[in-house]
């Protein structure tokens, strides 16, 4: 029996090779032997490393490989490799280009960072060829550092002095540039801030064009969205966590008249977007404009379990001309079952309340009696059943809903309302119940 188990284990290891999945870590002590182009690339890496080496993997962002294959504007292939030679704490960046059907290293650079935070490919100088932007984590500094690399006949490094806690690259200023947006939580010397870097032809590198302080109470950045924050107005929305688990949203855009960034929701008064729910800003109503969530608890009787009482999440757009938030969509979100219900306007202003029971997987809407401070007539219930449960259900009075869920079926039942204004129709229910947005 022991011999059989050993043989099975050997076969398993041979099939798995030395992949990072098999090792369960972020590095490869002995890179797997590849074939074809990748074999040539690994031979070059070994030569640059002087023998053995360890791959280094980006920990954040879309590009998580130690070897990333790309094409330049002329469709010439090149590879970016991240690794550390044995007995060397520095991380090497080798840029290996396919020249006349042969792979050749066109530049190797060393960085003293302790790890790779992320790798982004973007055309910073708008010349049609993307640059390689690498963020580095450091043991000695909570903030991350940056370098960029240009790819041509020979690769060269572009120094960037600014640091960051979070970053993204997008056109925030609506000038068709690739803005490097850096967010910092601040240090003992410097307050939290946002910097917008743009490429300078004079200095041949990205430099800070715009900067401003951020909400000093934010202790971490949870979500960053760049896009239209109003009709015809680009900007960035930052969802940040504050002490006590609160989330707030900051809406930042460029005031072209004064050529400065503005952050209108951060004032001496409380930020109206402060919420305990972990819900992030997004284009909630699909109009290509970012909305921020404002959460308000629905009314409840004293005897009601507060944990089951739902809230209204109002999705609001910032109006630059009115300098105010305006509601675009009101929703009740069922976080357990990952769906939301868009509230009809006539159900707003405490006319209706809702309760979600996690045990029965039901969310029920009731008329609210403001004089008695009590729930009134039942108006609507949304049910979640497993596929197996659904086979046993008498669903003659139930309305199938277009909500997606793993091994789940969603449906609703409408109840007759004494107040005609509160009566909801089947078409409304089907149109209002939707799968919850993914963060």
């Amino acid at each position: 029996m022991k011999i059989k188990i050993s043989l099975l284990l050997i076969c398993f290891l041979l099939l798995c090779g030395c992949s990072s999945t098999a090792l369960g870590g972020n590095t490869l002590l002995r890179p797997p032997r590849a074939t074809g182009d990748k074999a040539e690339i690994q031979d070059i890496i070994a030569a640059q490393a002087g023998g053995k080496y360890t791959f280094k993997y980006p920990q954040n962002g879309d590009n998580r490989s130690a070897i990333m294959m790309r094409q330049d504007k002329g469709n010439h292939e090149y590879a970016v490799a991240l690794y550390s030679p044995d007995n060397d704490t520095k991380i090497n960046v080798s840029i290996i280009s396919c020249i006349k059907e042969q792979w050749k290293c066109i530049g190797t650079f060393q960085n003293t960072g302790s790890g790779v935070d992320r790798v982004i490919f973007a055309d910073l100088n708008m010349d049609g060829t993307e640059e390689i932007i690498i963020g580095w984590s450091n043991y000695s500094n909570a903030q991350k550092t940056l370098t960029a690399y240009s790819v041509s006949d020979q690769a060269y490094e572009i120094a960037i002095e600014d640091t960051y806690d979070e970053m993204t690259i997008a056109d925030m200023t609506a000038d068709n540039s690739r803005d490097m947006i850096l967010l910092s939580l601040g240090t003992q010397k410097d307050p939290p801030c946002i910097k917008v870097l743009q490429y300078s032809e004079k200095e041949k590198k990205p430099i800070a064009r715009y900067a401003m302080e951020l909400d000093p109470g934010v202790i971490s950045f949870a979500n960053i969205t760049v896009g239209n924050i109003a009709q015809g107005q680009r900007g960035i929305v930052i969802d940040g966590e504050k002490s006590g688990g609160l989330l707030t949203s900051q809406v930042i855009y460029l005031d072209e008249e004064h050529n400065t960034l503005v952050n209108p929701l951060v004032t001496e008064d409380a930020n109206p977007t402060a919420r305990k729910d972990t819900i992030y800003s997004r284009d909630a109503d699909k109009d290509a404009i970012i909305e921020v969530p404002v959460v308000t608890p629905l009314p409840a009787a004293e005897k009601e379990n507060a944990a089951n009482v739902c809230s209204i999440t109002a999705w609001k757009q910032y109006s630059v001309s009115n300098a105010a938030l305006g509601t675009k969509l009101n929703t009740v979100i069922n976080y357990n079952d990952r769906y939301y219900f868009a509230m009809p306007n006539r159900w707003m202003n405490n006319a209706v309340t809702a309760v979600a029971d996690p045990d029965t997987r039901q969310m029920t809407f009731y008329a609210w009696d403001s004089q008695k401070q009590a729930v009134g007539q039942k108006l609507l219930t949304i049910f979640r059943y497993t596929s197996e449960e659904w086979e046993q259900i008498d669903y003659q009075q139930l309305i199938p809903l277009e909500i997606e869920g793993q091994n789940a079926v969603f449906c609703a039942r409408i109840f007759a309302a004494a107040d005609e204004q509160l009566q909801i129709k089947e078409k409304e229910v089907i149109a209002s119940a939707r799968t919850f947005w993914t963060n």
Side-chain angles (χ1 to χ4, degrees):
M1 177 64 83
K2 289 183 178 179
I3 293 173
K4 289 182 179 179
I5 292 173
S6 298
L7 287 172
L8 285 171
L9 180 59
I10 290 168
C11 290
F12 174 76
L13 290 173
L14 287 172
L15 288 170
C16 290
C18 296
S19 70
S20 58
T21 304
L23 293 174
N26 291 322
T27 59
L28 292 175
L29 298 179
R30 187 176 299 167
R33 213 32 249 172
T35 59
D37 289 346
K38 290 187 177 180
E40 291 184 46
I41 291 170
Q42 287 194 6
D43 287 340
I44 292 171
I45 294 171
Q48 293 293 312
K52 294 182 179 180
Y53 57 91
T54 302
F55 279 136
K56 296 295 181 180
Y57 292 84
Q59 298 302 298
N60 295 295
D62 295 330
N63 302 300
R64 300 292 185 95
S65 300
I67 298 178
M68 287 154 279
M69 307 297 294
R70 306 293 292 183
Q71 283 187 339
D72 64 17
K73 63 180 179 181
N75 292 324
H76 299 125
E77 287 187 295
Y78 68 94
V80 181
L82 303 167
Y83 59 93
S84 285
D86 276 11
N87 302 318
D88 193 341
T89 59
K90 295 179 181 178
I91 301 176
N92 281 11
V93 180
S94 283
I95 301 170
I96 303 165
S97 180
C98 185
I99 302 172
K100 295 181 179 180
E101 298 186 357
Q102 288 192 340
W103 291 94
K104 177 183 177 182
C105 181
I106 60 173
T108 292
F109 310 88
Q110 283 195 324
N111 193 279
T112 57
S114 56
V116 183
D117 174 52
R118 68 192 66 198
V119 178
I120 301 174
F121 297 90
D123 185 3
L124 297 177
N125 58 2
M126 305 304 292
D127 66 349
T129 300
E130 62 187 11
E131 279 71 46
I132 306 157
I133 301 99
I134 302 182
W136 306 95
S137 54
N138 301 275
Y139 288 131
S140 58
N141 191 342
Q143 290 199 321
K144 303 171 183 72
T145 57
L146 280 164
T147 52
Y149 305 91
S150 179
V151 180
S152 56
D153 293 340
Q154 291 294 319
Y156 62 90
E157 187 173 80
I158 303 170
I160 302 173
E161 289 79 14
D162 299 277
T163 59
Y164 72 95
D165 287 294
E166 281 295 335
M167 73 167 293
T168 189
I169 295 178
D171 181 12
M172 174 182 162
T173 53
D175 59 358
N176 295 320
S177 66
R178 298 296 286 168
D179 302 322
M180 186 179 290
I181 305 164
L182 308 183
L183 306 180
S184 298
L185 292 169
T187 63
Q188 292 181 343
K189 296 181 180 179
D190 301 310
C193 70
I194 177 174
K195 291 183 180 180
V196 180
L197 279 62
Q198 293 180 335
Y199 189 84
S200 166
E201 284 293 343
K202 180 180 178 180
E203 301 192 36
K204 300 299 181 184
K205 65 179 181 180
I207 63 171
R209 297 288 189 190
Y210 307 99
M212 74 173 301
E213 293 186 15
L214 295 174
D215 184 346
V218 172
I219 59 176
S220 69
F221 300 116
N223 185 62
I224 302 167
T225 310
V226 179
N228 292 321
I229 55 100
Q231 191 68 41
Q233 178 66 62
R234 297 282 293 181
I236 181 171
V237 181
I238 305 167
D239 297 314
E241 184 178 352
K242 306 187 83 167
S243 59
L246 283 177
L247 279 175
T248 60
S249 300
Q250 299 178 74
V251 177
I252 300 169
Y253 63 95
L254 177 65
D255 181 343
E256 293 186 4
E257 181 180 353
H258 300 95
N259 197 34
T260 185
L261 298 178
V262 292
N263 190 0
L265 298 186
V266 177
T267 64
E268 293 181 359
D269 299 327
N271 188 322
T273 66
R275 56 198 181 272
K276 291 184 179 179
D277 300 56
T278 305
I279 182 74
Y280 300 140
S281 302
R282 56 175 41 82
D283 178 11
D285 62 349
K286 307 299 182 185
D287 65 349
I289 298 175
I290 304 165
E291 285 85 31
V292 298
V294 175
V295 181
T296 306
L298 284 166
E302 291 184 5
K303 64 179 181 179
E304 190 67 58
N305 183 349
N308 292 349
V309 178
C310 301
S311 297
I312 287 285
T313 300
W315 296 93
K316 295 178 178 284
Q317 287 179 6
Y318 182 77
S319 169
V320 175
S321 58
N322 297 330
L325 291 170
T327 301
K328 294 299 299 295
L329 180 69
N330 290 299
T331 60
V332 174
I333 299 174
N334 188 317
Y335 290 97
N336 288 325
D337 293 325
R338 308 294 295 172
Y339 69 88
Y340 70 90
F341 186 81
M343 290 283 278
N345 288 334
R346 64 187 185 280
W347 279 17
M348 294 298 297
N349 301 318
N350 291 339
V352 172
T353 190
V355 175
D357 189 331
D359 295 326
T360 62
R361 313 302 284 268
Q362 298 176 15
M363 185 163 73
T364 302
F365 296 81
Y366 299 90
W368 176 252
D369 190 328
S370 57
Q371 291 184 341
K372 296 180 180 179
Q373 291 292 294
V375 295
Q377 190 178 24
K378 186 184 294 187
L379 303 172
L380 172 71
T381 298
I382 297 176
F383 304 88
R384 177 196 183 278
Y385 296 110
T386 65
S387 300
E388 292 76 15
E389 290 170 336
W390 180 247
E391 294 178 0
Q392 309 300 320
I393 296 297
D394 179 8
Y395 46 81
Q396 292 183 2
Q397 295 182 328
L398 299 179
I399 303 166
L401 299 176
E402 298 174 0
I403 300 173
E404 297 176 359
Q406 187 174 6
N407 189 35
V409 176
F410 292 88
C411 55
R413 181 178 178 183
I414 297 173
F415 299 90
D419 184 348
E420 290 185 3
Q421 290 296 317
L422 299 182
Q423 185 68 59
I424 194 166
K425 297 180 180 180
E426 181 175 326
K427 288 183 179 180
E428 285 184 282
V429 174
I430 294 172
S432 297
R434 287 287 178 263
T435 306
F436 183 58
W437 307 275
T438 54
N439 288 327

